[in-house]
Amino acid sequence: MPRSWTRRRFLLAAGGAAGAAVVGGSLLADFGGSEPSAARHPDVDFDPVALASVMINFDTSHNGEGGITLPHARWWASRWKAYGVATEIIETPKADNVHCIARIRGAGKAAPLLFLGHSDVVSVERDRWSTDPFWAQQRDGFLYGRGAIDMKGTNAAVLAALLRHVSEGARFDRDIVVVSDCDEEAAPYNGTWLAKQHWDKVNAGAVLTEGGWLLAQRDGRTPMLATLTCQDKVFALVSVTATGLTTHSSRPQPNSALVRLDRAIGKLSAYRPDVFIGPLARRHFEALAAATDDRQLAAATTLMLSARSQSARNRAADVMLARSPYPPLHNALTRPTVAFVIENAGYRTNVIPGTAKATINVRLPPGGGGIQQIVDEMRAVIADENVVVEHTGALPGETSQQADARVAKGLAGTPSAYPGAGEDPSGVFAAWTAAVGAVHPGLATTPTLFEAGTATGAWRARGIPVYGIYPYLVDGDSINRMHGNDERVGIDALRRSADLMYALFGHFRV
């Protein structure tokens, strides 16, 4: 793409005169070898919509091999530099795939607070987007682009909030460390690698990262419940491999590997593990029942929580999900989930292949049954000796044995402290609760379980509390677009999210 067109894209995305100032000044570098200038542009630096637009316009996507994050990191560092904050770019073994660390020095009265915000994003089905996924666009009150929710929007809110504090001469009681990390989306050099290689730079008393949602009532506009995640579900992969006769495609086989695999997936499509409500999920649904303006949803949720048998619990959950404004999210909080993500078979049009394989993503709630229980249940559902179901490695370079150990450890893990479940000396949970009260008066808050996962295992393993937040109000449709097509975040919601993060970090000012 010609450089002049690249510059025009940044102008349009950032918007107006403020956007022109940023692109003409601090963003005019070619993002290759030269450093962006560090001129201050408060109209943009304090506006999360403008910041998120710029971030989206950096294509940091990948398919598990790691993205190109250096240009984004150089721009990110320039914004901190403009306000006198020290930064450091950490190279990884993959060329132009880097982490960037900013540190706001504090009074040293408490251990540092680390914000971990990944700069990489998942790849796109470009032909299924109505916009260019790497050219932020505003339409109908939403900001569109890959990473708008996950998680460049959150990064923009944090950047805007902290630059505003720094511009005011704020001093915090502790160092605030902000990491724009790479490879969070299942690539090798993520936060785990960073912590292993540079622990002295990322050691902290608490970690704040992606996670909890600010949920709306059924109208999609009225705030209903603010959640902060204190623990992640556990990620696992299961392979389903069918075998059959390899032969010439002129002689169709009724039990070919592909047909067997399709039959197996058809059976599994109706399989749902039993409902399991752990302590964090229970807190979430108790808060939901109290906060919703839908009486039927409240009644079904209460019935699910009070059910005395598994069958009654499963039935009540079905009713709750039918009324929920967020059925996929709430389904994920009620049970282990099974998602079909990849199929592989065949290599020539004139050969019926002898093997066909599907990969299934399984997310397990801590404290519940293990992955072997899910595998055994899948085998029973398929009931075909020519179809093998097994747990495999899920992380880059992970063996099945290592995966078994990681999953078992995750299931036995404990959540970060929240009211009624331990003391939090970091004060993060209290700061978040106070911030929600200041920005959304009267809004109910609750700790919750993250339906997905984060690259924070290195901190959790050391007993460091980890909390997760997406600080903007979202409707069910927007949540479903995360990792999907036409990803978007509400413009007003994103601006208010910067106010929420400003209030949260303000809790630590001295």
Side-chain angles (χ1 to χ4, degrees):
M1 179 180 295
R3 184 179 174 192
S4 60
W5 180 237
T6 302
R7 290 173 60 189
R8 182 183 172 199
R9 287 177 56 164
F10 276 91
L11 279 164
L12 292 173
V22 172
V23 179
S26 65
L27 290 178
L28 186 55
D30 64 5
F31 306 110
S34 57
E35 286 287 336
S37 68
R40 287 191 179 197
H41 300 288
D43 289 344
V44 172
D45 291 336
F46 303 161
D47 180 6
V49 176
L51 293 173
S53 297
V54 174
M55 294 179 195
I56 288 167
N57 289 353
F58 289 103
D59 182 352
T60 55
S61 65
H62 62 89
N63 286 314
E65 75 283 6
I68 301 300
T69 60
L70 179 58
H72 177 283
R74 284 177 170 153
W75 168 80
W76 174 268
S78 77
R79 304 328 310 134
W80 294 108
K81 181 180 178 182
Y83 293 83
V85 177
T87 64
E88 183 178 6
I89 289 178
I90 306 294
E91 296 181 351
T92 73
K94 179 179 171 63
D96 297 332
N97 192 29
V98 304
H99 302 273
C100 186
I101 303 175
R103 182 180 292 268
I104 303 170
R105 294 290 181 182
K109 296 180 179 179
L113 171 59
L114 173 72
F115 174 77
L116 190 66
H118 63 85
S119 63
D120 65 321
V121 295
V122 297
S123 55
V124 299
E125 298 173 324
R126 192 177 284 267
D127 61 333
R128 299 189 64 189
W129 280 66
S130 65
T131 68
D132 182 338
F134 302 108
W135 180 6
Q137 295 188 40
Q138 297 182 24
R139 189 176 76 223
D140 302 325
F142 290 93
L143 177 67
Y144 286 80
R146 174 58 86 221
I149 280 185
D150 185 20
M151 68 176 295
K152 290 178 176 179
T154 300
N155 296 344
V158 169
L159 179 59
L162 284 172
L163 291 183
R164 182 177 160 197
H165 276 298
V166 173
S167 74
E168 295 168 349
R171 183 164 174 79
F172 298 102
D173 64 358
R174 66 198 70 190
D175 285 6
I176 307 293
V177 183
V178 183
V179 180
S180 174
D181 64 313
C182 62
D183 281 11
E184 191 277 340
E185 300 290 2
Y189 306 114
N190 58 21
T192 300
W193 178 91
L194 178 64
K196 183 177 181 180
Q197 300 295 324
H198 301 280
W199 180 246
D200 60 317
K201 303 179 189 300
V202 296
N203 189 5
V207 176
L208 191 61
T209 188
E210 61 189 330
W213 299 101
L214 207 166
L215 302 177
Q217 300 282 4
R218 185 173 296 279
D219 63 10
R221 300 182 303 275
T222 305
M224 174 177 64
L225 182 64
T227 70
L228 189 73
T229 48
C230 300
Q231 194 173 20
D232 301 346
K233 289 184 79 172
V234 183
F235 175 81
L237 291 182
V238 171
S239 66
V240 179
T241 306
T243 56
L245 179 66
T246 304
T247 187
H248 197 283
S249 60
S250 64
R251 296 182 291 274
Q253 302 294 311
N255 287 310
S256 69
L258 270 168
V259 172
R260 281 190 170 123
L261 180 63
D262 286 346
R263 281 201 298 257
I265 296 301
K267 292 178 180 179
L268 287 176
S269 67
Y271 162 66
R272 287 196 305 165
D274 284 335
V275 169
F276 171 81
I277 307 293
L280 277 172
R282 179 168 291 277
R283 287 288 295 264
H284 179 105
F285 287 112
E286 288 172 346
L288 175 69
T292 180
D293 60 11
D294 183 335
R295 292 184 179 180
Q296 293 182 39
L297 173 59
T301 302
T302 301
L303 185 62
M304 177 185 71
L305 294 176
S306 61
R308 296 186 177 182
S309 70
Q310 187 64 60
S311 59
R313 193 173 300 113
N314 290 348
R315 289 194 301 272
D318 287 342
V319 178
M320 180 274 294
L321 294 173
R323 296 296 306 178
S324 170
Y326 304 90
L329 169 65
H330 285 144
N331 178 64
L333 296 181
T334 61
R335 54 167 51 88
T337 54
V338 174
F340 308 97
V341 291
I342 299 173
E343 282 196 18
N344 300 104
Y347 54 95
R348 288 185 63 89
T349 58
N350 60 353
V351 176
I352 297 175
T355 60
K357 178 181 177 181
T359 301
I360 297 176
N361 179 304
V362 178
R363 306 273 179 166
L364 300 161
I371 187 61
Q372 192 57 49
Q373 177 179 328
I374 301 297
V375 169
D376 289 344
E377 291 176 2
M378 286 183 175
R379 288 170 178 164
V381 168
I382 294 171
D384 186 340
E385 63 182 9
N386 292 293
V387 178
V388 175
V389 182
E390 57 187 351
H391 178 215
T392 61
L395 301 178
E398 185 179 51
T399 67
S400 59
Q401 291 79 13
Q402 290 170 331
D404 287 339
R406 175 183 56 77
V407 169
K409 184 176 181 180
L411 293 176
T414 57
S416 299
Y418 58 88
E423 296 293 328
D424 172 26
S426 74
V428 170
F429 197 99
W432 168 76
T433 303
V436 171
V439 178
H440 300 279
L443 181 61
T445 61
T446 185
T448 194
L449 178 68
F450 191 28
E451 74 275 14
T454 60
T456 55
W459 289 270
R460 291 186 186 276
R462 291 170 168 85
I464 296 171
V466 176
Y467 299 98
I469 182 173
Y470 291 112
Y472 19 73
L473 183 69
V474 290
D475 58 13
D477 186 22
S478 294
I479 284 186
N480 288 340
R481 296 174 188 234
M482 176 181 172
H483 281 207
N485 302 318
D486 280 355
E487 184 178 351
R488 71 184 192 185
V489 66
I491 291 171
D492 291 341
L494 182 53
R495 289 203 167 102
R496 203 165 189 188
S497 75
D499 295 336
L500 178 61
M501 298 312 297
Y502 178 83
L504 189 154
F505 288 114
H507 191 80
F508 303 109
R509 285 180 67 156
V510 295

